[in-house]
Amino acid sequence: MTEARLVAEALSGSSSAFERIVRRYQRPVISLIARMTGDVALAEELAQDTFVKAYRRLQAFDTTRRLSSWLFRIAHNTAIDALRRAPRREVPLAGPGEREGPHMAAPARSDPVEQEVLARALETAMRELRPEFRAALVLRYEEGLSFDEIGHALGIPEATARSHVHRARKDMARRLARAGWAPPE
């Protein structure tokens, strides 16, 4: 069923239509919020808030746009509000028992242990990004949205969405290099 039809049915009072919307977009919304907040439990709670807000504002949805972009925008704003209310916390560059620094060279082969260490380094670098940069990266590379859709979801112009993704990638590369994951020369 098309998004526009689901929205129309939900607006006409069909709770099952809105339940289908939630089922279809719950995982991507939780993923975006979890990436932004670094807390899966909080992300699940904020995702519920997102869908409640979406339900209350469903009549404002522009059916010429993608429903996912509209939901991501609500989720993004909900996460930003939660991050503003939360106390700031420092995130160390290395996890417990890990060493920081340039001694950690990028793996030459696909070693599962090194892959896991690299995955943790990527997660740490993602958590250190500004929330709007994290959101832009998640929407681009995990959700596959276009820059126009990212702009709509984040409430920014398309050019700014491009800039956020570009800056986020550069910042990630800088952080990973500082943690010893520089590309081979």
Side-chain angles (χ1 to χ4, degrees), residues 44-117:
E44 290 171 351
E45 180 181 321
L46 294 176
Q48 287 180 354
D49 292 348
T50 296
F51 287 109
V52 167
K53 290 175 184 176
Y55 183 76
R56 289 181 180 155
R57 298 182 202 155
L58 199 54
Q59 70 283 353
F61 172 63
D62 177 2
T63 57
T64 64
R65 306 294 301 214
R66 285 181 57 182
L67 181 60
S68 60
S69 297
W70 184 70
L71 289 170
F72 287 143
R73 182 175 191 164
I74 296 170
H76 172 262
N77 291 340
T78 301
I80 290 294
D81 289 344
L83 289 170
R84 284 184 182 135
R85 288 189 306 265
R88 288 206 170 287
R89 67 177 205 251
E90 295 284 323
V91 179
L93 282 177
E98 294 179 347
R99 297 181 301 173
E100 281 185 44
H103 62 278
M104 296 172 55
R109 288 181 264 206
S110 181
D111 177 355
V113 173
E114 288 177 352
Q115 292 286 343
E116 177 62 29
V117 173

Side-chain angles (χ1 to χ4, degrees), residues 4-178:
R5 184 169 174 114
L6 275 174
V7 170
E9 286 186 19
L11 283 171
S12 68
S14 170
S15 60
S16 67
F18 194 76
E19 286 174 20
R20 282 183 286 201
I21 291 171
V22 172
R23 279 195 307 273
R24 186 180 290 183
Y25 295 107
Q26 185 173 23
R27 200 174 84 204
V29 164
I30 290 172
S31 176
L32 171 65
I33 297 171
R35 290 288 194 163
M36 292 181 68
T37 64
D39 184 337
V40 175
L42 177 61
E44 290 171 351
E45 180 181 321
L46 294 176
Q48 287 180 354
D49 292 348
T50 296
F51 287 109
V52 167
K53 290 175 184 176
Y55 183 76
R56 289 181 180 155
R57 298 182 202 155
L58 199 54
Q59 70 283 353
F61 172 63
D62 177 2
T63 57
T64 64
R65 306 294 301 214
R66 285 181 57 182
L67 181 60
S68 60
S69 297
W70 184 70
L71 289 170
F72 287 143
R73 182 175 191 164
I74 296 170
H76 172 262
N77 291 340
T78 301
I80 290 294
D81 289 344
L83 289 170
R84 284 184 182 135
R85 288 189 306 265
R88 288 206 170 287
R89 67 177 205 251
E90 295 284 323
V91 179
L93 282 177
E98 294 179 347
R99 297 181 301 173
E100 281 185 44
H103 62 278
M104 296 172 55
R109 288 181 264 206
S110 181
D111 177 355
V113 173
E114 288 177 352
Q115 292 286 343
E116 177 62 29
V117 173
L118 176 57
R120 281 186 288 176
L122 284 166
E123 285 297 320
T124 299
M126 278 289 284
R127 281 193 310 268
E128 292 174 344
L129 291 175
R130 292 172 39 186
E132 61 271 22
F133 289 0
R134 264 195 313 265
L137 277 184
V138 169
L139 293 173
R140 179 71 177 161
Y141 295 107
E142 289 186 20
E143 300 304 326
L145 268 58
S146 69
F147 291 111
D148 179 54
E149 292 167 332
I150 293 168
H152 181 72
L154 301 182
I156 56 177
E158 178 182 349
T160 304
R162 286 181 185 278
S163 175
H164 279 11
V165 170
H166 175 75
R167 287 181 179 178
R169 288 175 48 137
K170 282 183 73 170
D171 196 16
M172 286 279 293
R174 183 179 52 77
R175 290 174 189 280
L176 289 170
R178 194 172 59 214

